[in-house]
């Protein structure tokens, strides 16, 4: 059962105050729950070698026990100790991308409790590229199991207040180091298959991976024409989703879009709009009734701002979030994946 906890918030500078890091490390070693920043999103950490501590992550998040969590380590040597097989591809990728936003799925060592891997014989490992996360890993001297620090199925947190919105009173400590720069979760790559399979597109792109290890299989649900995928969202699990309904619109269907939006406004729905500079969506309504967030046209900057924008519109209480669908292409794959999931009604 869920036990209420008093959540302490500590602001951490870069480089961090060693006293705050020591406090967080001690808490983790005692089985506590500590939310901390990574370069992607905030993570909800527990001692990966402590089955009870890991179980409390699932309780705090309301996460189904069949969804495994990623284990964070300080360096590739520590990752290697947690797997029974370290293939050449793992060595090449670790060398190139760690610390960084790439999670490698490898055969798990018996030291990893089943709660971490949801009973799978594999474990997801990554070295985060964030000074606070690395300082914590080094001070705690344990691997840290950490999913994103949000309630299950909700949007990942990129600032401390997002973490508190979902988890205040459910975790012991939150290290607040400001916004996480990447803004989307790591790429998850399964190295136990041939060719390796992308399970979740993320900040490290398919092209970047292929440049290092050759062919990798694209994520199963990612269709190159994202418009196509967005038109059949029913096949996809709702995840990374705001409370508001998300509608992704393309320039090609500008006329249709206009009438969709007019209908929403006529029924007094509150609308948020993630607008791109070249948007062909037109509102012939009072613009003050629409909560507009201007999104950058560059993939990295867009990724970095997407969750904060969705959180903001959700917080503002809009009924619908209209999104100008960004361009397709390798650099935009993760953004399309998250928008598709956010728009899914499952
Ligand atoms: O950027 C990130 O990856 C963030 C930060 C905190 O590191 N973490 C994160 O964790 O997004 P989470 O739990 O929200 O997502 C982990 C993803 C899930 O899709 C999970 O199913 C997959 O990784 N995963 C973890 N371990 C796995 C395993 N052994 N086999 C297959 N998939 C795994
Ligand atoms: Mg998550």
């Amino acid at each position: 059962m869920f036990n209420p906890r008093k959540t302490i918030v500590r602001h951490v500078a870069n480089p961090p105050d060693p006293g705050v890091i020591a406090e967080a490390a001690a808490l983790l070693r005692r089985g506590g729950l500590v939310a901390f920043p990574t370069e992607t999103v905030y993570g909800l950490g527990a001692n990966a070698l402590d089955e009870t501590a890991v179980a409390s992550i699932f309780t705090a998040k309301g996460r189904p026990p069949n969804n495994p969590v990623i284990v964070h380590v300080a360096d590739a040597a520590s990752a290697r100790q947690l797997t029974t097989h370290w293939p050449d591809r793992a060595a090449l990728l670790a060398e190139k991308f760690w610390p960084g936003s790439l999670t490698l799925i490898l055969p798990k060592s018996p030291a990893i409790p089943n709660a971490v891997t949801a009973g799978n014989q594999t474990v997801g490992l990554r070295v985060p590229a964030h000074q606070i996360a690395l300082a914590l890993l080094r001070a705690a001297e344990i691997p840290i199991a950490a999913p994103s620090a949000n309630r299950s199925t909700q949007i990942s947190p990129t600032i401390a207040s997002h973490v508190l919105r979902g988890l205040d009173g459910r975790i012991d400590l939150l290290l607040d180091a400001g916004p996480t720069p990447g803004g989307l979760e790591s790429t998850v790559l399964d190295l136990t298959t041939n060719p390796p399979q992308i399970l979740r597109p993320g900040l490290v792109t398919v092209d970047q991976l292929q440049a290092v290890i050759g062919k990798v299989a694209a994520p199963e649900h990612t269709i190159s024409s994202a418009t196509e995928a967005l038109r059949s969202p029913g096949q996809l699990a709702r995840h990374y989703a705001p409370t508001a309904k998300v509608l992704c619109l393309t320039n090609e269907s500008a006329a249709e879009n206009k009438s969709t939006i007019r209908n929403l406004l006529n029924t007094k729905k509150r609308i948020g709009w993630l607008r791109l500079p070249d948007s062909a969506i037109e509102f012939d309504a009072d613009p003050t009734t629409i909560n507009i967030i201007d999104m950058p046209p560059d993939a990295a900057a867009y990724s970095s701002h997407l969750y904060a924008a969705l959180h903001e519109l959700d917080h503002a209480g809009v009924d619908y979030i209209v999104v100008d669908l960004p361009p397709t292409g390798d650099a935009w794959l993760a953004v399309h994946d998250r928008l598709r999931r956010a728009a899914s009604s499952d």
Side-chain angles (χ1 to χ4, degrees):
M1 248 325 279
F2 162 68
N3 289 318
R5 299 172 187 228
K6 180 166 167 26
T7 303
I8 298 168
V9 181
R10 298 261 187 255
H11 294 270
V12 281
N14 193 3
D17 172 356
V20 175
I21 296 298
E23 176 190 16
L27 251 170
L28 285 172
R29 293 184 67 92
R30 286 203 303 274
L33 290 179
V34 176
F36 62 97
T38 77
E39 85 284 16
T40 60
V41 300
Y42 275 82
L44 172 54
N47 179 355
L49 304 179
D50 176 342
E51 183 121 47
T52 311
V54 171
S56 67
I57 294 179
F58 287 79
T59 313
K61 282 184 58 105
R63 184 179 178 102
N66 61 359
N67 192 1
V69 298
I70 294 171
V71 175
H72 298 68
V73 288
D75 48 43
S78 309
R80 202 172 168 163
Q81 282 172 16
L82 297 175
T83 155
T84 54
H85 180 52
W86 183 251
D88 291 345
R89 283 173 178 151
L92 288 168
L93 292 168
E95 173 70 28
K96 176 77 183 170
F97 296 108
W98 283 356
S101 312
L102 176 64
T103 297
L104 299 178
I105 307 291
L106 289 160
K108 88 177 191 71
S109 97
I112 306 268
N114 284 329
V116 171
T117 65
N120 290 320
Q121 288 312 304
T122 56
V123 60
L125 297 164
R126 91 173 184 102
V127 179
H130 193 292
Q131 289 317 310
I132 310 300
L134 287 171
L136 186 57
L137 284 161
R138 289 186 195 119
E141 297 182 298
I142 45 171
I144 301 177
S148 51
N150 51 280
R151 296 286 273 277
S152 186
T153 78
Q154 296 183 356
I155 313 165
S156 294
T158 59
I159 54 175
S161 65
H162 299 160
V163 178
L164 290 177
R165 221 175 270 166
L167 297 173
D168 194 11
R170 306 175 82 93
I171 62 177
D172 300 298
L173 179 65
L174 163 60
L175 299 180
D176 176 359
T180 55
L184 292 185
E185 302 84 353
S186 62
T187 306
V188 178
L189 180 69
D190 187 350
L191 285 183
T192 68
T193 61
N194 199 5
Q197 166 84 50
I198 296 198
L199 300 180
R200 177 176 72 183
L203 294 172
V204 173
T205 70
V206 178
D207 288 353
Q208 286 174 318
L209 294 171
Q210 295 195 139
V212 178
I213 55 165
K215 173 139 188 64
V216 305
E220 264 160 25
H221 286 303
T222 302
I223 299 170
S224 54
S225 156
T227 327
E228 198 181 311
L230 286 161
R231 288 203 180 118
S232 53
Q235 303 159 357
L236 306 156
R238 183 171 166 86
H239 205 77
Y240 309 103
T243 311
K245 218 170 155 28
V246 175
L247 293 175
C248 296
L249 304 177
T250 59
N251 281 358
E252 290 80 67
S253 57
E256 196 183 312
N257 296 342
K258 201 169 162 178
S259 73
T260 305
I261 288 153
R262 194 181 305 117
N263 289 341
L264 292 177
L265 290 170
N266 284 344
T267 52
K268 300 270 180 287
K269 296 293 186 208
R270 296 190 56 200
I271 297 183
W273 179 13
L274 302 192
R275 181 168 68 179
L276 280 172
D278 64 347
S279 179
I281 304 174
E282 286 172 50
F283 291 103
D284 46 4
D286 172 7
T288 59
T289 63
I290 301 168
N291 198 331
I292 300 175
I293 299 183
D294 280 307
M295 298 299 289
D298 160 77
Y302 192 106
S303 302
S304 165
H305 289 101
L306 175 61
Y307 285 163
L310 292 175
H311 273 287
E312 186 183 325
L313 291 177
D314 241 2
H315 202 55
V318 303
D319 303 299
Y320 284 84
I321 300 175
V322 176
V323 183
D324 279 317
L325 203 57
T328 49
D330 184 57
W332 288 96
L333 203 59
V335 166
H336 277 275
D337 173 76
R338 302 310 188 273
L339 285 175
R340 189 158 39 78
R341 291 169 193 272
S344 163
S345 54
D346 286 359

